[in-house]
Amino acid sequence: MSQSFIFDMDGTLFQTDKILELSLNDTFDYLRSLNEWNTVTPIDTYREIMGVPLPKVWEALLPNHSNEIREKTDAYFLQRLVENIKSGKGALYPDVKEVFSYLKENNCSIYIASNGLTEYLKAIVTYYNLDTWVIETFSIQHIETLDKSDLVKSIKKKYSIKNGAVIGDRLSDINAAKENDLVAIGCNFDFARDDELSQADLVIDDLLELKELLPKIGE
């Protein structure tokens, strides 16, 4: 029986941490140049909410700013992220390509479902040639509700997925799996939280563990 694997991007496949602080500092320097910010960059606050859609990020980081400023900030942040990816300052997690190759060799289908925006995801997929293994990459940007569960539901429907798993590091990934009758695999990586991982069906500390879990997921 063929299986489908839907991977989160940030904190699961891509080590967002490597460009996060850099891009966020660039962005808040931009806000300072506009006299819209006069204190330290709120990196710790962003880490706490990592994984939510960007519009909600700016509501949290810029609660007293207008929507216009938030939109300008969002656009600038995206620009800095993409430029940092294209200049090679980011990195995939170890063994991503090895695991993808293994899954493909075992007739598994691979998709990406992310809260990241389309342009950002395209930069990562293109730079690391992930299209070699990934059938399609989906952004939350195309789901009106901005809900990860709805995004996974749309993938299931488009590709008639019956069996498989959602692999991610945050509760939104775990909920997306469970609400769509898929196995929830939690990644105990950089942004993961113990209280969220406890709700996953399986937890891994390294993507290579997916090789050993493949038979179990198919049961």
Side-chain angles (χ1 to χ4, degrees):
M1 183 182 297
S2 64
Q3 297 177 59
S4 298
F5 289 81
I6 302 173
F7 287 84
D8 175 44
M9 180 66 90
D10 291 313
T12 299
L13 298 176
F14 185 68
Q15 296 186 59
T16 316
D17 215 25
K18 290 188 178 296
I19 63 169
L20 175 62
E21 184 171 338
L22 183 63
S23 302
L24 208 59
N25 273 326
D26 288 345
T27 301
F28 277 84
D29 280 344
Y30 168 69
L31 286 174
R32 291 181 189 102
S33 75
L34 299 177
N35 293 317
E36 292 289 348
W37 194 261
N38 59 7
T39 184
V40 297
T41 302
I43 292 172
D44 289 340
T45 303
Y46 191 16
R47 289 177 186 276
E48 291 175 9
I49 59 174
M50 185 72 188
V52 304
L54 276 175
K56 296 186 181 298
V57 166
W58 303 120
E59 287 176 16
L61 298 188
L62 303 172
N64 301 317
H65 288 70
S66 66
N67 284 331
E68 181 184 0
I69 291 297
R70 289 175 188 165
E71 288 171 5
K72 282 185 178 180
T73 304
D74 190 37
Y76 189 85
F77 183 57
L78 176 61
Q79 175 188 330
R80 295 308 306 150
L81 285 170
V82 169
E83 289 179 6
N84 285 325
I85 291 164
K86 289 181 176 179
S87 63
K89 293 177 181 175
L92 297 177
Y93 276 95
D95 309 310
V96 167
K97 294 184 177 181
E98 179 180 341
V99 169
F100 276 7
S101 295
Y102 181 84
L103 293 176
K104 193 167 184 179
E105 288 167 5
N106 283 272
N107 300 313
C108 297
S109 301
I110 302 170
Y111 308 90
I112 293 172
S114 172
N115 282 334
L117 299 182
T118 303
E119 185 180 350
Y120 166 72
L121 297 173
K122 182 180 179 181
I124 298 172
V125 169
T126 300
Y127 187 84
Y128 296 101
N129 298 310
L130 296 183
D131 278 344
T132 304
W133 306 275
V134 177
I135 292 174
E136 189 171 354
T137 298
F138 295 84
S139 166
I140 201 73
Q141 192 173 2
H142 301 296
I143 294 294
E144 188 175 344
T145 61
L146 298 180
D147 187 293
K148 192 73 166 281
S149 296
D150 291 339
L151 183 60
V152 169
K153 182 179 180 180
S154 72
I155 300 170
K156 274 193 72 180
K157 182 177 180 180
K158 180 173 183 178
Y159 287 98
S160 301
I161 294 171
K162 304 296 183 185
N163 303 286
V166 176
I167 301 98
D169 63 321
R170 298 307 301 265
L171 187 59
S172 59
D173 304 302
I174 295 166
N175 288 339
K178 295 195 169 187
E179 291 174 22
N180 286 285
D181 299 316
L182 297 170
V183 177
I185 300 179
C187 296
N188 188 21
F189 298 170
D190 295 318
F191 301 106
R193 296 171 53 166
D194 290 341
D195 59 327
E196 296 182 355
L197 290 178
S198 66
Q199 300 181 53
D201 298 312
L202 301 164
V203 176
I204 59 175
D205 295 308
D206 188 297
L207 288 171
L208 280 176
E209 293 177 45
L210 289 174
K211 288 185 175 185
E212 300 170 10
L213 292 176
L214 194 56
K216 185 180 295 188
I217 296 167
E219 293 176 355

